[in-house]
Amino acid sequence: MDARESAAPMRRSYPEQAATAVVVCILAGVGVFLLSAALSYWANRSDLRWLCVLAGIGLWASITSVYLAAPLLGVIAILGVLRNAEQTGQHQIETQNDGWVRRTSDRLLIASALLVLVMLLPIALRIAHQWVAVWFVALALLGVQMGRVSRRLARTAGLGQSRRGVLLVGAVALILVGVGLRTTGVSRYVMQHVNDVHRTRSFAGSPAGLVQTVVVPTLDTACPSDRNVIWCSSFQLAWNEVRDTVVGAPLQVVGAEETAARLNAAKQSVADFDANSVYAAGGWIEKGICERIKKDMAAKFPSYALPDFNDYRDGILAYSYLIARVPFTYPFRQVDGGLVFGDSRGIETRVAGFGLWQAHLKAYEKIRGQIEILYVRVKDRRHSPELAEYALDLCRYSDPYQVVVARVEPRDTLAETLEHVRTQIAEFKAQPHYEEERRFSEADRLNVPEMFWRIDHRFEELIGKGVVNVGMPIVEALQTIEFRLDRSGVLLESQAMTAIASRPRRFEFNRPFLIYVQKRDATNPFFVMWVDNAELLERK
């Protein structure tokens, strides 16, 4: 044998290296993907935006590694094996070192099994749709071809496939069968959760850009028809600080007497919150209230950026901040095609949504168990099972806060609508079959639209009006509300500043509905919204 022939096996080793690189790319990519998903979950719960960015980079790096680099290296490995076989001929393969042939064949077989697995998982889990699925199918076929080349190489050299490779292929086959029978799992949850974290707001800015939404200062403010109506107690908390801490008496506001009277009479306070979720303070600017607010907020909510207080040199300043995270113990299913929301005027819009259907399946048993029906009323028990009104606690395990959604007819004010819902809940509890009726049954279905928005609202009806108590006008009455409702739970963040639902039932929140958030068992809520139209819903 001459030197050229003895060096041949070394020259032909690059298919083995390429096959090994495929395995490394897939395993490393999956590892980075899981780590990024964990970071996203942690960042979302801890409100660490920079960590979300880092997790997003890791996600795309893992996708590139698994779905671009690995298939490319697989093609190189296949071409390398076929090229060597064509150049050297069958006889030389049979007579050359069996170690190289076995190693190359084994690595191709392992890479093939892993490639088929990671390519078919998105399809089996219904994550890949339409033309994207075609790409995954093509890459899965590449994995099958790698397996065929591995088998051909081993047979040509008179070698059988290794037990390790055969066991791996069998394991992959079992996994794919299992996934095909059950279309939910960790991969689907993780990928959906990453989408949840990186979703963008449907609206952010002043309500001047909204024609079908109003923000009201109190719950008993008259609600205009055909409008979303939003109320949050953060502005009330700031008002309370001026009324109780600074002035020590109800504020008398010339030109806004009715609004001021309602704010003075409102019962909402910091007692409606867990102490770790809220901050409110007010005082004279000359006596250092701005510095006190900055110091207190830095200690209690260090990650939150305060507004600029430098424009206020003298007078009274009151500030409040609240944050309420209400994660659902078990995330709901995502409505892939969205749902149709019909507003009070009959206009229908396809929006993003979540919920639960096929609740009889064991995979959704825990999700079903977390839903509590607070009350339900049918239109006519004798002739139709159609539901007239209903209210649900989306996660009865959440503590200290709960999220209630209720489909009812609106009253003149949010307070009246809220009182109606609470009255119905109390009456429902008195029914003889309450314990059975309150459970979400296996035949029931739930659909809820998603929301993610931020509104910066100024109460113009107060700004510029004089406060008789102190002889100065109100120069700022600002409230910022950020609200998010999706399959994972609710996140409400708000600041305010004042200077001077047995038959199968369908719980479809696809018509105007009420949503409120409160401390569990508290008397007063701290966020109430009447959703009349789709202006603030996530479009699909």
Side-chain angles (χ1 to χ4, degrees), residues 173-194:
L174 289 175
I175 291 173
L176 290 177
V177 170
V179 170
L181 295 175
R182 182 176 179 177
T183 59
T184 61
V186 175
S187 297
R188 179 177 177 83
Y189 167 75
V190 168
M191 294 189 74
Q192 181 60 57
H193 188 79
V194 170

Side-chain angles (χ1 to χ4, degrees), residues 18-19 21-23 25-26 62-79 111 114-116 118-119 135-136 138-143 146:
V22 174
V23 176
C25 283
I26 293 175
S62 66
I63 292 175
T64 301
S65 177
V66 174
Y67 295 110
L68 291 178
L72 178 61
L73 291 167
V75 171
I76 294 174
I78 292 176
L79 294 177
L114 291 175
L115 197 61
V116 171
V118 296
M119 296 305 168
W135 169 254
F136 284 123
L139 296 183
L141 292 176
L142 171 63
M146 289 171 62

